[in-house]
């Protein structure tokens, strides 16, 4: 069957809207910074762009943990797990080993959505299964498509990927913990 001119125009319009909407999923609405030390020496700053229109609840949690406005958060916490050619994991500011942390909503909160897929430099929520987000997060150092649909991507590294690579290349023990402590010495909102 042939499509009328109006029908072809309508289909084209839907295709354009779909493409534009896909690009908007990664629109950075806020930025936060992590000042990093490695082995007690200042290493530099990582700036993270957050997708507040796509995952507002997840972004709100991350921003407020970055500012520490609830009396707890990322400042002073460590990257407790680093796996070369995979990711850096942090955000456990209660136990410092991947077993703790908490969100601004309580210990855990639900997966908001899985609209954004994992890519090099993606910022994603670490979890212990479905709907178990807290404060732990990871930064992808490679594309990780096997994590799509399982972890909520809510931002990206916008500056400081060289610091991410420096952390990634550091020596770790058999449990993937960096031999030299990788600490978030300060964190907050980029104004």
């Amino acid at each position: 069957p042939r499509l009328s001119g109006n029908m072809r125009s309508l289909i084209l319009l839907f295709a354009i809207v779909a493409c534009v909407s896909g690009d908007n999923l990664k629109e950075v609405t806020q930025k936060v910074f992590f000042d990093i030390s490695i082995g007690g020496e200042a290493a530099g700053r990582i700036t993270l762009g957050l997708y507040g229109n796509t995952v507002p609840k997840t972004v709100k949690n991350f921003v407020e943990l970055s500012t520490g406005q609830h009396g707890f958060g990322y400042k002073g916490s460590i990257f407790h797990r680093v796996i070369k050619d995979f990711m850096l994991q942090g955000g456990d500011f209660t136990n410092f080993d991947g077993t703790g942390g908490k969100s601004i909503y309580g210990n855990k909160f639900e997966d908001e959505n899985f609209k954004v897929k994992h890519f090099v430099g993606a910022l994603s929520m670490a979890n212990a299964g479905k709907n178990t987000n807290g404060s732990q997060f990871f930064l992808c150092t490679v594309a990780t498509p096997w994590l799509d649909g399982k972890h909520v991507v809510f931002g990206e590294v916008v500056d400081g990927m060289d610091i991410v690579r420096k952390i990634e290349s550091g020596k770790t023990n058999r449990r993937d913990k960096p031999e030299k402590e990788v600490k978030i010495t300060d964190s907050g909102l980029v104004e």
Side-chain angles (χ1 to χ4, degrees):
R2 281 185 78 106
L3 297 175
S4 71
N6 287 342
M7 186 58 94
R8 281 195 301 269
S9 296
L10 190 58
I11 290 171
L12 180 60
L13 179 64
F14 282 134
I16 290 169
V17 168
C19 287
V20 170
S21 296
D23 289 344
N24 286 342
L25 293 176
K26 291 184 180 179
E27 180 185 0
V28 172
T29 58
Q30 290 179 289
K31 293 179 185 177
V32 299
F33 70 88
F34 287 165
D35 287 338
I36 303 294
S37 70
I38 301 174
E41 301 285 325
R45 176 173 282 191
I46 299 171
T47 303
L48 303 162
L50 308 176
Y51 309 147
N53 292 333
T54 304
V55 280
K57 185 173 184 176
T58 306
V59 165
K60 178 179 171 64
N61 181 63
F62 195 77
V63 166
E64 293 184 13
L65 292 174
S66 294
T67 64
Q69 67 191 64
H70 298 277
F72 56 89
Y74 297 130
K75 184 177 179 178
S77 69
I78 63 170
F79 282 89
H80 62 270
R81 187 174 178 221
V82 175
I83 301 175
K84 186 163 178 50
D85 297 321
F86 180 27
M87 62 88 204
L88 321 177
Q89 186 173 341
D92 177 357
F93 50 77
T94 58
N95 298 340
F96 300 91
D97 63 4
T99 62
K102 62 183 177 179
S103 81
I104 63 168
Y105 309 112
N107 281 339
K108 306 291 178 203
F109 68 100
E110 68 281 352
D111 297 319
E112 195 163 2
N113 67 58
F114 302 111
K115 291 178 182 175
V116 181
K117 307 302 180 207
H118 292 80
F119 56 93
V120 176
L123 170 62
S124 187
M125 290 302 292
N127 63 40
K130 187 177 180 177
N131 298 318
T132 59
N133 299 292
S135 57
Q136 291 189 50
F137 61 88
F138 61 96
L139 299 171
C140 296
T141 61
V142 296
T144 54
W146 63 91
L147 300 177
D148 294 344
K150 296 176 181 158
H151 297 268
V152 176
V153 177
F154 63 98
E156 65 188 74
V157 177
V158 295
D159 194 29
M161 196 65 187
D162 57 326
I163 307 303
V164 170
R165 294 292 183 203
K166 186 174 183 177
I167 296 167
E168 178 190 28
S169 67
K171 289 186 178 183
T172 59
N173 67 20
R174 60 185 176 84
R175 299 190 69 191
D176 303 315
K177 184 174 183 176
E179 288 185 2
K180 291 183 177 180
E181 184 178 72
V182 179
K183 185 180 241 180
I184 299 170
T185 58
D186 199 9
S187 62
L189 198 56
V190 175
E191 301 292 338

